Each structure stands twice: as structure tokens, then as C-alpha cells.
Amino acid sequence: MKLPSTIFNTAWLQPPMRTFARWFFRVKGWRIEGELPPEAQRCVLIAAPHTSNWDLPYMLLAAFALRMDVHWMGKASIFKFPWGPLMRWLGGIAVQRGEQRGNQVEAAVQAVRAAEGPLQLVIAPEGTRSRVREWKTGFYRIAQGAQLPILPSYLDFGSRRVGLGPLFWPTGDAEADIAQLRAFYAPFKGLREDLFDGS
């Protein structure tokens, strides 16, 4: 299944949006770090820390600055007329969710497998803007099920930097792998520092 064009890969929008994104971060005093590696053309992109509604516009601009083609999962009902075309243009992929949590992960895996072309699937592992002690494991199980690498992305409001970390391939030991990924995020600070547990 070929994915429809999105705001991120619409040819005439890319140059002005990339220029605007880089200008925005420069004016705000932020550094843009890293670049999308060739092996991450298809990956699960984890976004953390997630502590504020402001994270979304910053991450959307970061996607343009870093030349990414990001997508996100949404329940099929929000893709019904008249909002479907807009949601898909914004990077949405409809998922038919079952009643059980495991079914939701499997539905996401099947949707990713069926999608052709570049796909950086954005997931916030904290699952909420509130403070959490443990990350949700859905992002890991989707990456493992779809046989995709995991690429950490970050917004560090403490040192004003946005970027991409090293590509990570799941080993099958979810507990150890997630602990390693969380360790990568330990130095970063969200906009609301009190809501991010970097331990």
C-alpha cells in the first residue's frame, strides 16, 4: 500500500518549510544535531521528553529541518469523512484497533508492514505529558514486530538542542533495551522539567 503524500514530502512545501524551520531554531538559540541515517528511512522514531503541548510544533519543525518523512498512528474513526484527507496529509495512518491492547500493537505492525516507501513512525514512549516512572512498550513491540530499527529523537529544552540519536536495533530483551534507551535520554530536560523522569 503506497502512502499518500504528506505535508512532509510535498515537493513545493519542502524548501520553504525547511528554511523556515532552520530559521526558527536559529532565532530561538537552538542547535540542530544529527541527521537521518540511510538505514532509518523506515524506522520507529521515539520522541522524548514529552512534557508539554509545545513539543508537537517543535517536533514538526524538527522533522522539516532534519529532512524526515514522519507518520503517526491514529484510530480509524478520525480518518472518516470529512477529516480523512487532512489527517493523511498530516502524516496519519489509520489503524483498526481491537478491544485488547495486544491487538492494537498487532494492528499497528500490520499497517506499517503494508505501507510502502519511507516511513518514520513517531511514538512518544511516555504515552502522556504527565510524569511517568516507566515507558510504555508499544513502540518497542511495533519495531520488533515490523522488523524496524528504533531512532531516538529529542527536544532538550535545558540546552536548547533538537536532534537524532544513534540508531538502535531491538535485541529481543525489551527490559534491557528500553533501559538503554532511557539512559540515552537521562541528560535531557523537557519544557516542564518536573514531568520528565530521566532515571
Side-chain angles (χ1 to χ4, degrees):
M1 175 187 69
K2 185 174 177 57
L3 292 172
S5 295
T6 71
I7 188 175
F8 302 104
N9 60 28
T10 300
W12 65 270
L13 263 179
Q14 288 179 327
M17 286 303 299
R18 189 173 304 125
T19 298
F20 172 76
R22 290 187 171 273
W23 171 85
F24 173 85
F25 285 118
R26 185 170 62 252
V27 168
K28 289 286 188 179
W30 283 59
R31 296 194 313 275
I32 301 171
E33 301 176 336
E35 60 183 22
L36 187 70
E39 303 89 341
Q41 288 300 310
R42 291 177 59 85
C43 69
V44 171
L45 183 78
I46 56 177
H50 181 38
T51 64
S52 164
N53 284 330
W54 284 105
D55 297 342
L56 178 59
Y58 272 76
M59 282 304 300
L60 292 178
L61 288 173
F64 281 108
L66 292 163
R67 299 173 181 263
M68 294 190 291
D69 190 1
V70 299
H71 292 266
W72 47 274
M73 296 286 186
K75 57 184 179 181
S77 61
I78 69 173
F79 289 84
K80 292 181 179 178
F81 182 84
W83 304 112
L86 175 62
M87 293 298 177
R88 291 182 178 88
W89 191 62
L90 292 175
I93 299 175
V95 175
Q96 295 286 350
R97 295 179 174 176
E99 295 181 1
Q100 301 298 320
R101 188 177 301 272
N103 291 343
Q104 295 177 19
V105 170
E106 182 57 33
V109 168
Q110 294 304 322
V112 169
R113 284 179 174 172
E116 299 175 2
L119 170 68
Q120 292 95 55
L121 180 65
V122 181
I123 301 177
E126 295 154 283
T128 175
R129 295 185 305 275
S130 302
R131 186 180 179 88
V132 295
R133 292 290 300 173
E134 294 183 1
W135 282 3
K136 296 184 179 298
T137 60
F139 79 92
Y140 185 90
R141 290 183 291 149
I142 291 171
Q144 192 173 31
Q147 298 182 325
L148 296 177
I150 296 169
L151 183 63
S153 68
Y154 55 88
L155 286 173
D156 184 5
F157 283 87
S159 60
R160 294 190 179 186
R161 53 190 176 135
V162 57
L164 301 173
L167 200 62
F168 184 92
W169 284 92
T171 67
D173 186 340
E175 185 175 350
D177 287 352
I178 292 175
Q180 185 174 339
L181 287 165
R182 288 193 63 162
F184 169 78
Y185 282 97
F188 303 142
K189 298 184 184 303
L191 181 60
R192 291 281 308 278
E193 292 186 33
D194 57 311
L195 297 183
F196 180 60
D197 183 0
S199 60

